[in-house]
Amino acid sequence: MNKTKNTLYLEYSNDTPEQVADILRNGGIVAIPTETVYGLAANAFDGKAVKKIFEAKGRPQDNPLIVHICSVSQLETVASEIPEKAKALADAFWPGPLSIILKKSERIPDEVSCGLDTVAIRMPSHPAAAAIIKAAGMPLAAPSANLSGSPSPTTAEHVRNDLFGRIDAIVDGGNCEVGVESTVISLAGNKPRLLRPGGISLEQLRSVLGEVEVDPAVLNQMRPGQKAASPGMKYKHYSPKTRVVILKGSFERFSAFVNGKKNCAALCFNGEGKELKVPFVEIGAEHNSSAQARNLFDALRKLDDLNVNTAYARCPDTDGVGLAVINRLLRAAAFTVVDLDAPLMIGLTGQTGSGKSYFGNLLKEKYGFALIDCDALSRRVTADGSPTLRVLADAFGSDILDASGSLIRKRLASIAFASKELTSKLNSIVHPEVTKLVDAEYAKYKEEGRSAVILDAPQLFESGLDVICAFIVAVTAPEELRIERIKKRDGIDEKKIKQRMSAQLSLNEFIEKADMIIINDDVQPLDEQAEKVYNKYKEIHLK
Ligand code: TXA
Ligand code: MG
């Protein structure tokens, strides 16, 4: 959608509810403050108005909205059945940060429920939200007032950055008190089920209801094709542009890890930033989950201003409101968590023909590190009869297979390395499968109690595995030397070799991204360079 609307910006005052009610009655959409996050509201009974919310946010069409009410009598207009348990929850926690899923009434249009026969309902406690719903005289459907995928807005400024020019008005009611979206509980099934943790904790829900199940999507990544109880859980969420990785372990290990790395920032607890050598954003005191919840989304947005590749986040407590914090943080991190008490991962990459694997083996022999060879893993992924091989044949043509169905590697290479686009198509098929095997090998070395694992990966950066490495070593060598080595090793001609080389990152890119450069030109001694790697490892690896 183009930014064509003339968006009114209203500081909340006594006149605001009437002014906003007028816009809503005319089918407009308005961002309003609530105690959790800002919501983008429309008349919940007006399907056409609700549709505008989806357009303004770029929201997927199958992700239903929460309906906001200001009285129990309004509840009867949106739900068709109100079970005792719902009454008990409403008594205990409304108005407040809790959404209850019930069977919907006929007045709720499909645009709100996205075809489900249920509807999520909540009564916000923020005085501005309550006054606006009351003045409008109708329930308001409202998702968080952010662009779909980005962190939810906790200030009017966040809303303005995402939606100015796309909506009719923004009501500025200051910073949101809770800071994460409402708890979502379903009472539409057999047992009460927590779908999304929020300001009302699981412990609080259980104190009223007794047993409450926790949906697996609260803490785990959905597999492709898996059905989500709460459609919103399956989407990429809360993501700043910066890649986020959670580091689990003590602050001592956290600081050793991030201080050794280039081009990263830290998302840490109050008072920790001064111990770090990298840019940082603090999100609240270490064991204060409410403060972390309040600051998290603003902190995620601030990361993008730091202009780094990766932000490493401290791992929060997971009880009380902490469950909501870790739930949002896991999604911001696309579920990437590094355990700092497990073996240190050292990335090893470099130019083709530079002798990267030779250097990896040297490190292994000399210092007793474990070694994961991603080339070998990718051969395993594309072994005869493997599902990935079929996907590759569909993508690149069955010519890549010989009569017996085995992969002709050279043929695939000559097709896929012909352009960056084809190379990334190949990568998007192979990398996720290789990553699964890397995880399995790593788990094995963890079990063995190894102290470090070298991850030998020619496509370390392209695969995204770079972010889990404590530091990255790139091996380089002069071009003529590399061409000679590849000729000897693979017996292919110079034109093919150059093609393969140009499908890789450039030397400058390796230098810019890696933490350490090894020059393998048959002149500079490799032993001394290996020792530098070992020293760096010792700096980071705390006993
Ligand atoms: O705190 C909040 O809940 C904020 C403020 C504005 O009230 N709203 C909010 O809405 O977070 P939204 O749309 O960003 O998240 C609604 C979540 C989504 O995960 C959605 O899938 C889920 O609630 N949901 C809504 N209706 C549902 C239903 N009938 N069944 C299952 N999940 C539902
Ligand atoms: Mg949302």
Side-chain angles (χ1 to χ4, degrees), residues 375-393:
D375 271 341
L377 296 184
S378 80
R379 279 194 292 277
R380 218 197 291 164
V381 159
T382 53
D384 292 1
S386 70
T388 309
L389 200 52
R390 274 200 302 278
V391 179
L392 285 174

Side-chain angles (χ1 to χ4, degrees), residues 5 26-29 47-57:
K5 277 195 191 262
N26 286 309
I29 54 174
K48 246 171 78 186
V50 169
K51 233 176 138 182
K52 294 181 195 162
I53 292 178
F54 283 81
E55 281 160 16
K57 279 182 57 102

Side-chain angles (χ1 to χ4, degrees), residues 102-249:
L102 299 173
K103 291 267 184 277
K104 78 177 185 88
S105 81
E106 276 170 12
R107 293 189 67 187
I108 296 294
D110 268 349
E111 284 84 355
V112 170
S113 59
C114 298
L116 300 175
D117 60 356
T118 54
V119 61
I121 306 158
R122 110 171 170 91
M123 190 188 290
S125 64
H126 194 292
I132 290 167
I133 303 168
K134 192 159 174 232
M138 56 178 115
L140 301 179
S144 49
N146 51 300
L147 282 174
S148 205
S150 66
S152 292
T154 53
T155 68
E157 188 58 29
H158 295 161
V159 180
R160 191 209 282 262
N161 289 338
D162 275 18
L163 297 176
F164 200 82
R166 294 169 174 259
I167 63 180
D168 295 296
I170 298 172
V171 177
D172 187 344
N175 295 1
C176 299
E177 185 62 30
V178 179
V180 289
E181 309 87 336
S182 61
T183 302
V184 178
I185 187 168
S186 174
L187 295 181
N190 291 337
K191 288 189 183 151
R193 197 174 177 84
L194 176 71
L195 301 186
R196 180 176 77 181
I200 299 297
S201 68
L202 181 59
E203 295 84 344
Q204 284 175 295
L205 294 172
R206 285 185 172 148
S207 75
V208 172
L209 296 178
E211 199 182 353
V212 177
E213 291 180 338
V214 177
D215 196 84
V218 167
L219 290 178
N220 301 291
Q221 189 163 24
M222 308 280 305
R223 290 188 304 277
Q226 203 177 352
K227 195 172 176 310
S230 181
M233 285 296 185
K234 72 180 177 218
Y235 292 108
K236 191 173 154 73
H237 253 81
Y238 315 117
S239 320
K241 287 168 203 85
T242 312
R243 180 89 201 260
V244 177
V245 175
I246 301 170
L247 300 184
K248 211 171 112 189

